[in-house]
Amino acid sequence: MTLTDEPGARPVTNRTTVHSGMVFDIVRDTVDFAPGVQFDREYMRHPGAVAVLAVDEQDHVLLIRQYRHPVGHTLWEIPAGLLDVDGEDPHVGALRELGEETGRTAARLRTLADLRPSPGGSDEVIRIYLATGARALDEETGFERTDEEAEIETRWLPLADAVTAVLEGRLTNATTVTAVLALAAHRARGGDDAMLRAADAPFPERPGRD
């Protein structure tokens, strides 16, 4: 039997928007779980996101340094952003985010991993792409970095050093941890990128909005 997460949402008999926010909403659902069993759950409704792990021919990975106010830390992360552009394919959005945050694009994208960072409290799902053939953009993106993004720094780090930083607790961003360890596992079993899913692979777990 193949090990896989299985869809199968239980009926929702009532939904109330507790908070409507700038990026996400907080809702309260009454879940008809089983005959005679109902319960309420509050969680974050999120548009979803994409992230990009860019790697060069020497297996250096590209990280950005960015302040994250909710946790009060400046974190080393991989480029990432919301799926908030109507009609934009996720892999196109990933390249856009890579360009806006690092001034680079990539010759090739493959799907590295899909991640639900907090399924007990959010419907957010993140698709992580592996980018190879990275190069500087020929032209400016026209995107002006503001707020936290105004101080973004970039650094290429050997993959082995990134793995060590994860295992020593020095890199803690969930998407970055997943990406680094997924790439290390991919390399350990041969590292043939053709084994990975295509950049435009179906993304059925991307949150919908009704």
Side-chain angles (χ1 to χ4, degrees), residues 16-131:
T16 303
T17 299
V18 178
H19 169 76
S20 182
M22 297 168 57
V23 175
F24 54 80
D25 298 337
I26 302 297
V27 300
R28 180 185 297 120
D29 285 355
T30 300
V31 182
D32 192 0
F33 184 71
V37 181
Q38 284 192 338
F39 52 74
D40 291 339
R41 288 292 181 269
E42 289 184 358
Y43 62 97
M44 179 174 67
R45 294 263 287 172
H46 194 283
V50 289
V52 186
L53 180 63
V55 59
D56 67 13
E57 294 179 354
Q58 288 75 44
D59 259 357
H60 291 70
V61 296
L62 181 61
L63 301 180
I64 63 173
R65 185 174 183 266
Q66 183 173 358
Y67 175 67
R68 293 299 192 182
H69 180 70
V71 296
H73 280 65
T74 300
L75 304 179
W76 285 100
E77 308 175 347
I78 60 174
L82 300 172
L83 289 169
D84 57 357
V85 177
D86 288 342
E88 183 179 62
D89 289 332
H91 66 283
V92 175
L95 284 177
R96 174 177 53 78
E97 291 292 343
L98 180 64
E100 291 174 355
E101 296 188 348
T102 72
R104 293 173 174 84
T105 188
R108 294 168 298 279
L109 284 181
R110 303 291 290 185
T111 298
L112 181 62
D114 293 332
L115 170 67
R116 286 189 174 95
S118 185
S122 172
D123 68 354
E124 180 183 10
V125 62
I126 304 169
R127 171 151 287 186
I128 304 171
Y129 296 91
L130 178 65

Side-chain angles (χ1 to χ4, degrees), residues 98-209:
L98 180 64
E100 291 174 355
E101 296 188 348
T102 72
R104 293 173 174 84
T105 188
R108 294 168 298 279
L109 284 181
R110 303 291 290 185
T111 298
L112 181 62
D114 293 332
L115 170 67
R116 286 189 174 95
S118 185
S122 172
D123 68 354
E124 180 183 10
V125 62
I126 304 169
R127 171 151 287 186
I128 304 171
Y129 296 91
L130 178 65
T132 54
R135 61 172 177 78
L137 287 167
D138 296 330
E139 299 178 358
E140 294 293 329
T141 64
F143 177 78
E144 182 180 357
R145 296 179 191 162
T146 60
D147 302 324
E148 297 96 331
E149 292 184 341
E151 295 185 349
I152 282 180
E153 302 173 24
T154 62
R155 179 182 297 178
W156 288 96
L157 186 71
L159 175 60
D161 291 354
V163 170
T164 298
V166 168
L167 297 179
E168 292 181 351
R170 293 183 284 110
L171 289 180
T172 58
N173 173 274
T175 309
T176 303
V177 168
T178 300
V180 166
L181 297 185
L183 180 59
H186 174 57
R187 291 287 185 258
R189 66 175 192 172
D192 182 0
D193 292 349
M195 297 168 58
L196 298 173
R197 289 171 289 162
D200 59 353
F203 196 4
E205 307 305 331
R206 177 180 176 178
R209 289 293 172 266

